[in-house]
Amino acid sequence: MKNSEFVLKQYYYILFILIIIMFYIQRRRLKFKIFKTNLSKKEIKDAIKETSIELNWIIDYQSNQITKAHREFDISTGGSWGEMITIIYKDNHIYVNSICNPNGLYPSVLSYGWNKKNINTFISNLKQSLK
């Protein structure tokens, strides 16, 4: 076996391992965070509106039980290429998810903390509604 073939095979193994790691990272992020609440749908929608203003979310779809939004790439906010946020409110539970936007200009695995910030800011605004 030639040396170049050996190096190429090593490269493919490393690439394969990186792809598997990225797959599991993205799969884990698809899980929803679940919160129990007694807030009305109006209060939940108000918290969504407040968060969308605060974090520059663009609301793509909103119904009585589902809100889908995204945040686009903004050079001033760091390295994230944007996130997709899904909020489902049903039976006194809120299901929240934020992942790197697969529909963005450059799909990414790294959110640079924005997925966590999207969820935490929304939950913080929900808690403000309780007061």
Side-chain angles (χ1 to χ4, degrees):
M1 179 177 339
K2 295 180 184 176
N3 191 29
S4 61
E5 289 177 6
F6 179 73
V7 170
L8 191 60
K9 282 187 177 186
Q10 285 183 329
Y11 173 75
Y12 286 137
Y13 287 129
I14 292 170
L15 186 62
F16 180 73
I17 290 169
L18 287 174
I19 289 169
I20 296 296
I21 291 169
M22 289 171 30
F23 169 78
Y24 281 106
I25 288 171
Q26 286 293 72
R27 186 169 176 224
R28 188 184 75 221
R29 287 183 182 159
L30 287 174
K31 293 182 180 178
F32 281 85
K33 306 277 191 250
I34 304 169
F35 303 94
K36 189 171 174 81
T37 185
N38 291 323
L39 293 172
S40 70
K41 288 184 181 183
K42 182 190 181 315
E43 291 170 317
I44 295 169
K45 285 186 179 184
D46 289 345
I48 292 170
K49 184 177 180 183
E50 180 67 29
T51 309
S52 70
I53 292 168
E54 198 173 327
L55 298 180
N56 296 320
W57 287 1
I58 298 167
I59 305 292
D60 298 319
Y61 175 79
Q62 193 164 37
S63 71
N64 268 344
Q65 294 182 334
I66 299 172
T67 298
K68 289 185 79 177
H70 74 277
R71 203 183 66 78
E72 294 189 350
F73 170 74
D74 182 357
I75 193 73
S76 66
T77 61
S80 176
W81 287 99
E83 302 81 44
M84 183 171 65
I85 302 97
T86 306
I87 302 169
I88 301 171
Y89 29 103
K90 172 179 163 179
D91 301 329
N92 294 331
H93 288 84
I94 298 176
Y95 304 84
V96 184
N97 187 1
S98 178
I99 62 170
C100 295
N101 192 354
N103 301 322
L105 182 60
Y106 297 103
S108 173
V109 176
L110 303 173
S111 71
Y112 300 96
W114 277 96
N115 286 325
K116 191 174 188 176
K117 185 172 186 171
N118 286 324
I119 293 171
N120 289 343
T121 303
F122 172 64
I123 297 306
S124 175
N125 287 332
L126 277 176
K127 288 178 181 177
Q128 292 294 324
S129 297
L130 290 172
K131 293 181 179 181

